Amino acid sequence: MSSAPLPADIGRDLARIVEAAAEVILPFWRTELDVVRKADESPVTEADKAGEKVILALLAERYPDIPAISEEHACEYGTPDSIGPRFFLVDPVDGTKAFVRGDPNFTVNIGLIDNGAPVAGAVCAPATGEVWFTADGGVVKREGPGAAETPVRARAWPEGQALALVSHTMKEDKATALADQYGFSLRAPMDSSIKLARIAEGAADIYPRHGPTMEWDTAAGHALIIAAGGRFTTPEGEPFLYGKADQGFRNGWFVARGA
């Protein structure tokens, strides 16, 4: 397992990889898909598997010394009992339920972990062509391969009404409790890690998640939030760490915020 210096432009390279996967995934969107239920009742489709195949092949070719943990492979074969300090976390289709519904809020994610922290990442929204990635100490967004690149930043907490992004399935009483706890007054339901990308680009203020997620769900978006000047912590404000092999790479609760 390599501890060599990482390429300075690795975020941009990860962006090219998620865009390549998006090209394979997008033709499946809004078509008749075979949907299989995994052990946890979450759905998986041909698109998930096709995107994962592309990503894992490209990562193995370009970064042969860095292992990758990917959602569908992990669900089928299990997660490793241990992992070194540096590895990729891959979610080939985050927001599969949205994908199956025909909703555009699904993403392709790659995050790079080094010593427990996400140090690079890329998130692509295939339905819109948007891609966000870490670069030059910040975050860059473009709307398709080869499109113009724009640096983006998380915004400061507004003096007026703060906007929270929440899960589609959140019940009203829980949303109200979170609003009281974190001080937001507006909320918008949204699937997938696109919520984290929207906070990183300054389009929203907070995403409190008091519920289960996996490390591959959050790593790429977490990298964006930090690089864009935001915060990503436990609800108590403690660091949110990765590489929890002894817990099957399950996450605890977290709160992602703007600057």
Side-chain angles (χ1 to χ4, degrees), residues 190-242:
M190 194 174 292
D191 288 285
S192 84
S193 67
I194 203 167
K195 294 189 285 294
L196 300 174
R198 296 297 181 212
I199 293 172
E201 71 178 10
D205 302 296
I206 189 168
Y207 169 30
R209 177 73 182 205
H210 289 199
T213 58
M214 303 298 289
E215 291 191 9
W216 47 75
D217 294 320
T218 59
H222 184 167
L224 296 180
I225 293 274
I226 299 304
R231 291 175 290 156
F232 194 115
T233 66
T234 69
E236 298 75 31
E238 297 298 319
F240 194 85
L241 302 176
Y242 294 81

Side-chain angles (χ1 to χ4, degrees), residues 26-113:
L26 193 57
F28 289 99
W29 187 47
R30 294 181 172 172
T31 64
E32 293 296 322
L33 280 170
D34 289 329
V35 181
V36 176
R37 295 285 163 182
K38 294 185 283 194
D40 63 358
E41 286 301 305
S42 61
V44 61
T45 71
E46 305 138 272
D48 298 77
K49 294 177 180 179
E52 183 175 77
K53 184 177 180 181
V54 169
I55 293 170
L56 294 182
L58 289 172
L59 289 177
E61 174 188 316
R62 299 182 192 190
Y63 305 100
D65 295 331
I66 304 178
I69 299 172
S70 186
E71 179 179 22
E72 305 317 330
H73 185 275
C75 288
E76 186 169 355
Y77 300 104
T79 55
D81 294 331
S82 63
I83 193 71
R86 184 178 292 175
F87 58 96
F88 291 111
L89 285 163
V90 175
D91 194 341
V93 179
D94 186 34
T96 301
K97 291 178 183 177
F99 182 87
V100 171
R101 286 198 310 267
D103 189 304
N105 290 322
F106 61 94
T107 55
V108 184
N109 306 284
I110 307 174
L112 175 63
I113 305 303

